[in-house]
Amino acid sequence: MKNIIKKILLIVPLFLLGACSNKQIINEQVNQVENASNEFVTYLVLTKNGLYNNQKGQNIEELHLENCIPFYGDAKTDLPNKNEITSSVKDVEFTSWIAYEGDGKPTIYTKVPEQSGLILYAFFTYVGDGGNVTPDPEPDPDPELTTIYFQDASWWNETAAGTAVYAWNSQDDVKNAEWPGERMTHIKYDETGKFNYWSFELDIAKYDSLIFVRVNGDGELAYLDAKTVDLSIADMGTNNMYSIVDSSAIWGDPGVSGTWTTYQG
């Protein structure tokens, strides 16, 4: 990227030179400049955005050059350096004065040349990083969450017990939370059947197994001695609710069994 920018910046002086009305006329006029008290005038051409001691160059009409400043000094006087020549263009720095002579190849000057009226062009070098800033990584896409439901039983919800879901992947030991899982959201209580409906949003693509866990109703999550058997997520099929509404109390291992069904709302 830097090499490309340098080539572009090198073209700028060539363009400015080509913008002159006639190279031959310029050379003739330059050669007619009179020397005064052994001083040599050198025309320094800045880029459009170049600055000399924070001042922009002027249009030198007799030479048909824009952004140009006449610089007087004895031969071999130091030319303005990078502390005096700046640019308002971001990430560029003045490098040297160059003239196009003879075969058209640039000659670098650091001092007033022993040729009065020579036209020198400011050469700027790109010093930035090309904008190659490492972008922030793309955020992970939001997971596709599936709402799963649980229908408990009267014995399960005694003492206002709640329900949590504990999911894991048997292939890589990924789990949704430490035991006893994450608390499910209470939906409603059926006064007639004495059971509750619970819901939870789960990225089922990450896991292959889950169990529903009886936990305390509020406060810090704690296991309350009952859970379902290990359930395969693949066994859900097109269903979205696991129901133990008709079960009898089973405490501890291996857990209570129920059936997959569909939540009707």
Side-chain angles (χ1 to χ4, degrees):
M1 183 66 177
K2 287 187 177 180
N3 290 334
I4 294 173
I5 298 295
K6 287 181 179 177
K7 289 179 181 177
I8 292 173
L9 290 173
L10 186 57
I11 290 171
V12 170
L14 288 170
F15 173 77
L16 288 170
L17 185 58
C20 301
S21 61
N22 186 292
K23 185 175 182 180
Q24 182 178 355
I25 293 174
I26 292 171
N27 289 338
E28 290 175 356
Q29 290 178 334
V30 167
N31 290 332
Q32 293 171 7
V33 176
E34 294 182 356
N35 297 344
S37 64
N38 202 34
E39 282 191 335
F40 290 73
V41 59
T42 300
Y43 293 95
L44 305 180
V45 183
L46 302 167
T47 65
K48 181 179 180 181
N49 298 296
L51 302 174
Y52 170 59
N53 284 334
N54 294 319
Q55 299 295 317
K56 290 185 177 181
Q58 301 175 3
N59 180 43
I60 309 297
E61 292 184 2
E62 64 271 22
L63 297 181
H64 303 282
L65 295 174
E66 294 184 354
N67 302 305
C68 179
I69 58 171
F71 185 77
Y72 298 91
D74 294 334
K76 303 299 183 180
T77 300
D78 287 340
L79 291 167
N81 56 38
K82 68 179 181 180
N83 294 322
E84 300 168 278
I85 303 297
T86 56
S87 175
S88 60
V89 177
K90 182 181 178 181
D91 294 336
V92 298
E93 182 179 89
F94 171 79
T95 303
S96 60
W97 294 105
I98 56 177
Y100 297 94
E101 305 171 273
D103 57 5
K105 293 181 179 180
T107 302
I108 297 175
Y109 285 89
T110 59
K111 296 181 182 295
V112 174
E114 293 180 341
Q115 178 184 343
S116 184
L118 191 65
I119 299 173
L120 302 181
Y121 295 85
F123 180 79
F124 292 88
T125 302
Y126 184 73
V127 295
D129 62 4
N132 293 324
V133 178
T134 302
D136 292 333
E138 290 292 330
D140 292 334
D142 292 335
E144 294 186 11
L145 302 178
T146 298
T147 302
I148 57 175
Y149 299 89
F150 179 69
Q151 184 182 34
D152 68 17
S154 58
W155 65 269
W156 178 282
N157 60 56
E158 288 180 355
T159 68
T163 302
V165 61
Y166 180 78
W168 71 95
N169 190 315
S170 58
Q171 302 300 314
D172 52 22
D173 200 33
V174 172
K175 50 194 174 186
N176 70 321
E178 296 300 321
W179 178 262
E182 294 182 87
R183 189 182 296 278
M184 299 186 74
T185 300
H186 183 258
I187 299 176
K188 62 183 179 181
Y189 178 70
D190 186 293
E191 287 285 354
T192 303
K194 308 298 182 184
F195 58 81
N196 293 286
Y197 288 102
W198 306 87
S199 71
F200 186 82
E201 290 187 330
L202 184 69
D203 181 6
I204 60 175
K206 291 177 62 175
Y207 314 105
D208 58 20
S209 304
L210 63 82
I211 58 177
F212 296 96
V213 185
R214 184 173 184 265
V215 294
N216 54 321
D218 54 26
E220 185 177 353
L221 207 62
Y223 174 51
L224 292 186
D225 304 320
K227 60 184 180 63
T228 64
V229 295
D230 293 356
L231 303 172
S232 169
I233 289 179
D235 290 343
M236 286 177 58
T238 58
N239 298 304
N240 62 2
M241 184 174 75
Y242 195 73
S243 173
I244 61 166
V245 67
D246 296 324
S247 66
S248 300
I250 297 178
W251 306 102
D253 293 327
V256 60
S257 294
T259 56
W260 282 108
T261 183
T262 301
Y263 177 69
Q264 299 296 333

